[in-house]
Every structure is written in C-alpha cells, then in structure tokens.
Amino acid sequence: MTDTIGLGVVGLGFMGRRYARFLSGIEGVRLAGVYDLDGDLAREVTGECGGTVYPDLDSLVAAADVAGVIVCTPEDRHLEPVLTALAASKPVLVEKPVAHTLEAAHA
C-alpha cells in the first residue's frame, strides 16, 4: 500500500465539494475528513469521496490523519478555520479570495 497524505476540507459549498472530489482522485492524497455546518451535506460528500465527518472544526484539525486543511468557506468566514488550523500546526490552503477585508488577510 502506498503512503497517502490525508487532507481535510472545511466548508462544502461549490468549491469545497470540488476539492473533496479532486482529492479523492489524486494519487498519494486522500480526503481524510470534512467539516461543514450542514451535517447532511458532510455525510453526502464523505459517502461519495471517503473520509470522516467531524462534528466541529477543532476535531478536524486535531485529527492525527489530517496532515493539512483546505478552507473553502465563504471569504467572510475564512479567518476562524485558517487560524484554528495554523494553531494546530497544520498547513493551510485557502480558497480565494483569501479574506473579505485587508485586516482579516493580515491576521
């Protein structure tokens, strides 16, 4: 079995679902987990792409098999998941735009 890197996706709107699908098709990468306010949507995405549904952001970033986090929330909600993932020492990819204000981008 090949080693794979598990990534988590936060926010499963249009772009979040696309990232989840992309991850499930890349060799050496897998969707390790997702978090979304809509639990039914989260279960639907993991049913299609694999991974675990986490009940909250803290659980997802604390998971040992989540090596990095992709934040796909609306831009006015990027800051909390980005800072939470960084505080857990997880690399982060943020869907554009990076933030809704210059102050949030600097944070």
Side-chain angles (χ1 to χ4, degrees), residues 54 56-69 84-85 87-90:
Y54 287 91
D56 54 57
L57 180 59
D58 291 329
S59 299
L60 180 125
V61 302
D65 66 335
V66 174
V69 176
T84 301
S89 299
K90 304 285 174 136

Side-chain angles (χ1 to χ4, degrees), residues 19-49:
Y19 274 99
R21 287 184 192 114
F22 294 153
L23 294 176
S24 66
I26 299 172
E27 186 176 338
V29 178
R30 66 182 175 77
L31 179 63
V34 299
Y35 169 66
D36 192 274
L37 294 174
D38 183 340
D40 290 336
L41 176 59
R43 285 184 288 282
E44 179 184 321
V45 169
T46 58
E48 177 186 334
C49 304

Side-chain angles (χ1 to χ4, degrees), residues 1 4 6-7 19 21 29 31-32 44 65 68 70-71 79 81 87 98:
M1 183 168 118
T4 61
L7 298 175
Y19 274 99
R21 287 184 192 114
V29 178
L31 179 63
E44 179 184 321
D65 66 335
I70 300 172
V71 176
L79 190 57
V98 71

Side-chain angles (χ1 to χ4, degrees), residues 1-3 6 10 16 41 53 57 75 79 83 85 93 106:
M1 183 168 118
T2 310
D3 288 335
V10 178
L41 176 59
V53 175
L57 180 59
E75 63 265 13
L79 190 57
L83 294 179
L93 181 149
H106 283 290

Side-chain angles (χ1 to χ4, degrees), residues 81 85 102:
L102 187 57

